[in-house]
Structure formats: structure tokens, C-alpha cells
Amino acid sequence: MTPNINISPRLIVPDPDRASAFYQDALGAEQVFRAPLSDDGRPTVVDHRLGGVSLRVSPAVAAWGWLAPSDLGGSAVLLEIEVDDPDAVGERMVAHGAEVVVPIENRPYGKRSGRIRDPFGHLWIITGELR
């Protein structure tokens, strides 16, 4: 029997409030929880609902081992989201400061997808049905 497990990605970023605003504006995430401010004025976690999953952002704190992609020289993880309109989501992300790494196009494996780097260095695969 498989235990009931939920996985909630927590993205480490320099500025959780700025990241929260980006994910709300670009992806339609809904902020559902914001922890009280830490000593440096940043929230320790901001929780969002994105579709049926939780997406959290927290500040980079080297003493805790919480490092942002800029601290690591790049992102060690790819976040993949499947959406109805990958082109529109990619365009919204870029309009809010993200950059295209691989253009969103029809792919030979039967999906329309591409890669976007958000303003905080995290890499996203945006995918959906062929058009």
C-alpha cells in the first residue's frame, strides 16, 4: 500500500515578495499563506495554490543551506507545468521578466513545449497539446 504523500516544491529566491508577485501575475498562482517576517524583513515562506498543487517560495539563507539559483550558478531542478495554452503562459512569463531558453514549439514527441527561465533563475518547462 502506498502512503498518502504530497510534494510541494519550495523555490529559494532572493526576494520572496517579488517572486510571489511574479508567480501570481505570470502563472495565476493564488497566495494562500504568508509567514511573518524574519529578522531581515523577508517572509520565511509564501505559499501559493497553482492548479491543484502548492508552490512555495522562501528567501535564500546561506546559513540554513537555502541557496537560490544565482548562488549555485544555475538551477538544479526543472519545474514542468502542463497548461491549456503554453504559448500564452510563456508570453505572460516573459512579459513579467522571464527569458526564453528554448522556444515553445510543436515537438516530435507529440507535445508543444519550451523552456523559460524565471527572473529568479528557476527553469520551467511549459508544455501542452499540439496546435
Side-chain angles (χ1 to χ4, degrees), residues 10-21 24 31 33-48 56-61 64 66:
R10 183 180 296 210
L11 304 181
I12 305 303
V13 297
D15 184 341
D17 287 324
R18 187 170 153 243
S20 177
Q24 289 176 69
Q31 187 179 122
F33 175 77
R34 185 175 186 278
L37 300 179
S38 62
D39 293 341
D40 66 5
R42 299 179 297 174
T44 54
V45 65
V46 182
D47 193 5
H48 304 83
R56 297 176 176 141
V57 294
S58 287
V61 180
W64 297 351
W66 292 9

Side-chain angles (χ1 to χ4, degrees), residues 43-131:
T44 54
V45 65
V46 182
D47 193 5
H48 304 83
R49 295 301 296 166
L50 183 58
V53 300
S54 174
L55 173 69
R56 297 176 176 141
V57 294
S58 287
V61 180
W64 297 351
W66 292 9
L67 304 175
S70 58
D71 300 322
L72 299 170
S75 181
V77 174
L78 286 170
L79 298 151
E80 185 169 348
I81 58 173
E82 188 162 342
V83 295
D84 292 333
D85 188 344
D87 295 276
V89 170
E91 288 167 10
R92 269 196 321 273
M93 291 179 80
V94 168
H96 286 90
E99 68 176 292
V100 174
V101 176
V102 175
I104 295 172
E105 300 174 343
N106 289 341
R107 303 290 171 188
Y109 47 82
K111 291 286 186 178
R112 184 165 184 79
S113 67
R115 276 179 252 142
I116 307 287
R117 180 178 294 111
D118 71 23
F120 318 100
H122 294 284
L123 292 171
W124 296 77
I125 297 173
I126 312 300
T127 189
E129 296 303 316
L130 297 172
R131 64 169 184 157

